[in-house]
Amino acid sequence: MKYYSTNKIAPSATLAEAVINGLAGDKGLYMPERITRLPNSFFNEIDTLSFQDIACTVANAFFGEDVDKDVLDHIVRDTLAFDCPVVPISSNIYSLELFHGPTLAFKDVGARFMARLLRHFTNAGKEGPVNVLVATSGDTGSAVANGFLGVDGIHVYVLYPKGKVSKIQESQFTTLGKNITAIEVDGVFDDCQALVKSAFMDKELNAHAHLTSANSINVARFLPQAFYYFNAYARMKALGKADNIVICVPSGNFGNITAGLFAREMGLPIKRFIAANNKNDVFFKYLKTGEYSPQPSVQTIANAMDVGNPSNFARILDLYHGDHDTIASIISGATFSDGQIREAIRTCYTDHGYILDPHGACGYRALAEGLKDGETGVFLETAHPAKFKETVENVIGTELKLPQRLADFMKGEKQTVQMSNKFDDFKTFLLGE
Ligand SMILES: *Cc1c(COP(=O)(O)O)cnc(C)c1O
């Protein structure tokens, strides 16, 4: 299958090229030229299939033309070494828990899949060493660093905004060593993202070293996220709750929700989506007005969604041929202040005894306010609440136990490289590596 650029200037790429390059030469994002619809028979029996079996079928629809079935199945099963269960919160609201992976956030799924696929392609093509650059506002860095840790022939550089991620998040990518280098940037997340994008466009750097991206712009990271939307539907169908499903996705860079939209295009019967935002609400405003105007990001307690210019907006536009009416009929928006997010954590805990993280809290609240009669809502609980320990404890007044794998990260020693937000400094550093 070929992958085209959303900017439509760069030539189409093979899957291997799209995965290795990350971003297209014209700065566009790669899109598969076809989206395979899965047969009715698959949806009829989906509730009898395991998460891993469902994921193998979905992966085959995306990548089956380009990767041998045994290799692909192995990558999928190895990626999904943990479950993504659906848990009831109230009579019509369910939580799709995506925090059972190694770094306790949904990005583990895409990062683990991408690491394995990239290793496959670089071995198969006997490519030289590959440098993965990743900008993070918190959870991407840890998922990518852990997904790639110890993978031969690949070095990962994690760029993060100094002082703007939680201690727990920071420990998950600054203490690993080996093939992982953490870079502490004097700036905000958008500066980190801009540095990474500029690096990919710089001829001299690209001649010096093979660079690739592991942000949600990479097709190998964002497409596998479709797996758990199918699983959510399957588990809801087993409960007899599969009619009129609304899926609510706490969104920042919009990679996660875009994977859900792809699932829907493949035939998954999702009635509609809600994109839940914190105060970084350019998409919400786009839905209301039809105008997209990127803003500098503002800091919130749901910091993995502090994104002022979501990269994957280009993919959503492309998927629906730029048609605002179609987009607004499939996706509705919600936006919450830090106060409203705290209130959602508090009410969900007192009413249902369920502890939300600040991102999932946006998802829960959007459903609690936005579900219509006859609809059943599933929100994506994108991280474990203990990753945002202080914030959550302050709200619910109860101590949260740190899961063992989080506590282990905190014991490591922080190692970082300090960096300004100027591209020249970053370039000089990379040229010296
Ligand atoms: C990354 C992240 C998000 C936002 O996901 P996007 O794919 O960027 O929209 C939401 N919640 C958590 C916990 C995250 O780490």
Side-chain angles (χ1 to χ4, degrees), residues 104-107 137-140 169 216 221 225 249-258 302 304-305 307 312 357 359-360 380-384 387-388:
L104 298 95
F106 80 90
K107 293 185 177 76
S137 56
D139 283 341
T140 303
Q169 287 177 324
S216 55
R221 255 201 67 197
Q225 297 173 154
V249 188
S251 294
N253 233 343
F254 281 72
N256 204 1
I257 196 169
T258 304
M305 310 194 317
V307 182
N312 288 285
D357 92 289
H359 308 79
L380 276 51
E381 179 44 307
T382 47
H384 192 288
K387 289 194 93 165
F388 306 90

Side-chain angles (χ1 to χ4, degrees), residues 21 112 250:
N21 297 337
R112 287 169 66 82

Side-chain angles (χ1 to χ4, degrees), residues 95-153:
S95 167
L96 172 60
E97 293 186 345
L98 301 177
F99 55 70
H100 296 280
T103 71
L104 298 95
F106 80 90
K107 293 185 177 76
D108 282 328
V109 173
R112 287 169 66 82
F113 186 92
M114 182 187 161
R116 283 153 185 77
L117 194 62
L118 189 61
R119 181 169 50 191
H120 166 70
F121 281 134
T122 48
N123 282 346
K126 301 275 185 297
E127 302 274 339
V130 172
N131 298 288
V132 171
L133 304 184
V134 57
T136 186
S137 56
D139 283 341
T140 303
S142 48
V144 169
N146 284 276
F148 282 84
L149 183 63
V151 176
D152 286 337

Side-chain angles (χ1 to χ4, degrees), residues 222-239:
F222 108 89
L223 284 175
Q225 297 173 154
F227 299 160
Y228 45 70
Y229 289 89
F230 284 86
N231 189 52
Y233 176 81
R235 308 296 66 105
M236 294 303 284
K237 186 164 190 266
L239 297 172

